[in-house]
Amino acid sequence: MNRYSRITGWGMYVPERRLTNFDLEQMVDTSDKWIVERTGIRERRIVGPGETTRTMAVAAARQALAVANLSPRDLDLIIVATSSPDHLLPTVATQIQADLGAEGVPAFALVAGCTGFVYGLVTAHQFIVAGTYERVLVIGAETISKAVNWEDRTTCVLFGDGAGAVVVEATQTPGGMLAFELGADGTQWDVLMIPAGGVAHPPDHEMIDKKLYTIRMHGRAVFRFATQVMTEATRHVITQAGLTPEDISLLIPHQANLRIIEYAAKKLGFPMDKVMVNIDRYGNTSAASIPIALVEALEQGRIRPGDNIVMVGFGAGLTWGALVWHWQPVVPETEAILVEDWPLPQALQAGLRQVRSRAWNARVALSEKATLALLPLYTWTHKLRKSVSRRFR
Ligand code: COA
């Protein structure tokens, strides 16, 4: 019997406190106009007294567990993606485990910058399809406001705090993760970093005086990297899933800069109404940005059963990750098993998907000249697949 992943619960938390661009105008030499034009951000949320990565993660996780109708002790694993844990030691994941009351459940944090949630979801999926675990909680949570130099206008306008979480469960209903790509380019580790506070430069007076415990970033280098990997990784996973952009109903990109998102969407041929954008309200919440956008997309009814969605992120490391997720219909497992055991339409559909996928790849490679020649093949296979799937439904 095949095993698949299914997202059964989701939740998010953002602090009450809003920091607008106009507030920032009072703090550094910047303007609402500059920030909106260059980034698309209008405001971000900043933690209040007593709020940390741990507390926000717990709030998001409780919601996700409630939606999944699970108790914390039902979990087999907790993964927390964050670059801003409450302490260097121990991992914030065990603090979250204790607060949730998930006694005995293994818990770890992973650091992959803003790509952390995609890395975490892929990791959860691996444990599930391997048959190791049945229910995994994946959290992306960040308090980047504590790692920002509030006198540096080139970084402080970009980031915000928040958390998002999903429960991933094993299912026999086909779907879930159709394809993924994880990547890293360690040669660019220093374009987005915190220079001191780790063992390479332990805390000292210089660290305090020069604020070396805050984020340093080469904005343009990150911009170049982001536009390239977002476009390529998205293309790769769509192809790998045997799909074309027309089959994707929603693109959920990491919310770092509206210009990066628009550039990638244009290159990929995605109209902006198929792209989830909430950067205007939250800024860049790092590893929390994709799960927060996912939760809002679900709440707004922008993801329906049967939809294929893409999540794509990039961040410090430098790292990137993309995945295609098929949102399974909520049907009893027995019905799903029947469909799965019916080999003819499945095989036929897989074959047709491959044909369409190859046609799409060829179109990309041959560029605009070949596009017109191949379009009819596309349309034909698309129509054929639709009519075949209708017949066998
Ligand atoms: N307000 C006003 N002016 C600002 C400013 C601010 N907040 N920040 C920078 N500037 C100035 C610069 O000093 C520079 O001035 P100069 O021309 O006199 O030297 C000018 O604006 C242009 O700076 P530049 O860095 O070229 O701007 P940009 O168009 O590249 O935009 C970023 C800067 C940071 C918005 C953009 O590079 C970016 O988004 N990069 C990716 C960052 C990112 O996503 N990081 C997180 C990854 S997970």
Side-chain angles (χ1 to χ4, degrees), residues 28-31 34-35 38-39 114 153-154 157-159 192 217-220 222-223 226 254 256-257 259-260 284 314-316:
V28 286
D29 180 16
T30 191
S31 67
W34 191 97
I35 302 171
R38 300 287 179 120
T39 71
C114 304
R153 68 176 184 173
T154 67
V157 302
L158 302 175
F159 297 99
L192 178 47
M217 182 180 74
H218 296 290
R220 282 186 201 172
V222 179
F223 196 98
H254 169 46
N257 185 319
R259 283 191 296 146
I260 294 175
N284 179 350
F314 57 89

Side-chain angles (χ1 to χ4, degrees), residues 10-30:
W10 49 86
M12 61 173 273
Y13 178 88
V14 288
E16 282 292 308
R17 188 176 155 215
R18 288 178 159 83
L19 185 73
T20 67
N21 292 348
F22 300 104
D23 295 328
L24 282 163
E25 284 179 0
Q26 311 303 313
M27 297 161 63
V28 286
D29 180 16
T30 191

Side-chain angles (χ1 to χ4, degrees), residues 155-167:
T155 52
C156 76
V157 302
L158 302 175
F159 297 99
D161 302 331
V166 295
V167 173

Side-chain angles (χ1 to χ4, degrees), residues 50 61 127 177 227 254 327:
F127 277 115
M177 182 98 67
T227 46
H254 169 46
W327 209 265

Side-chain angles (χ1 to χ4, degrees), residues 15 17 19 44-56 82-87 141-151 155-156 158-162 193-196 207-208 211-216 284-286:
R17 188 176 155 215
L19 185 73
R44 65 288 292 142
R45 302 297 182 94
I46 304 293
V47 286
E51 282 181 321
T52 64
T53 298
R54 171 182 175 177
T55 66
M56 292 191 293
T82 186
S83 300
S84 47
D86 284 36
H87 301 274
E142 302 277 14
T143 314
I144 301 290
S145 64
K146 300 282 186 199
V148 159
N149 177 356
W150 290 101
E151 289 166 3
T155 52
C156 76
L158 302 175
F159 297 99
D161 302 331
M193 57 146 357
I194 295 178
M207 176 181 108
I208 304 295
K211 294 203 160 111
L212 300 178
Y213 52 86
T214 60
I215 290 174
R216 301 293 149 99
N284 179 350
T285 54
S286 190

